[in-house]
Amino acid sequence: MSNYVIIAMQMIVGLSILNVWLIQNKKATKWRGGNATTIIEEFREYGLPVWSCYVIGALKVIFAILLLISIQFPVLKEPSALGLATLLLGSIAMHFKIKDPLYKSFPAFLFFVMCTLIAASSHINLYF
């Protein structure tokens, strides 16, 4: 896979995560779990304590920033992509836990796949 495709994926994932957690966090979207209109409500829908929203949010923001920085400093690419991939798996699991329609977990699944490819790009040449 071209290095430019990997960089594009890093930018898409990193900027999207920052958008969700820093700009859209209090806005309703069709992707929110259950009937939630904010991120805090979404965590309540999942049965998680409010403090976990802040912890997971901070981790996602940190990993997203590191993923963007890793464009210039590749040593950060794999750990930041794997950190986000792990958190995104948790997001997918929460959607399944509350029996959300599959489309609600699509962004998390797409970004999980992209993070996995970003991390793998450090070890193998992927072509398509």
Side-chain angles (χ1 to χ4, degrees), residues 114-125:
M114 291 171 79
C115 284
T116 303
L117 290 171
I118 292 165
S121 73
S122 298
H123 300 285
I124 57 174
N125 288 323

Side-chain angles (χ1 to χ4, degrees), residues 29-32 34 95-96 100-109:
T29 73
K30 66 181 180 178
W31 314 109
R32 295 231 182 269
H95 282 290
F96 279 104
D100 266 341
L102 277 179
Y103 78 88
K104 288 195 174 197
S105 61
F106 177 74
F109 175 75

Side-chain angles (χ1 to χ4, degrees), residues 31-34 42 45-48 87-110 112-113:
W31 314 109
R32 295 231 182 269
E42 190 170 9
E45 290 272 340
Y46 298 144
L48 299 172
L87 294 170
L88 289 162
L89 272 179
S91 300
I92 295 164
M94 290 296 107
H95 282 290
F96 279 104
K97 174 186 175 188
I98 64 168
K99 298 177 177 38
D100 266 341
L102 277 179
Y103 78 88
K104 288 195 174 197
S105 61
F106 177 74
F109 175 75
L110 177 62
F112 168 77
V113 170

Side-chain angles (χ1 to χ4, degrees), residues 7 10 63-78 80-81 118:
I7 290 170
Q10 288 172 261
F63 285 134
I65 290 169
L66 290 173
L67 191 63
L68 293 170
I69 292 171
S70 74
I71 294 168
Q72 189 66 35
F73 300 98
V75 69
L76 300 171
K77 181 169 62 172
E78 187 176 1
S80 58
I118 292 165

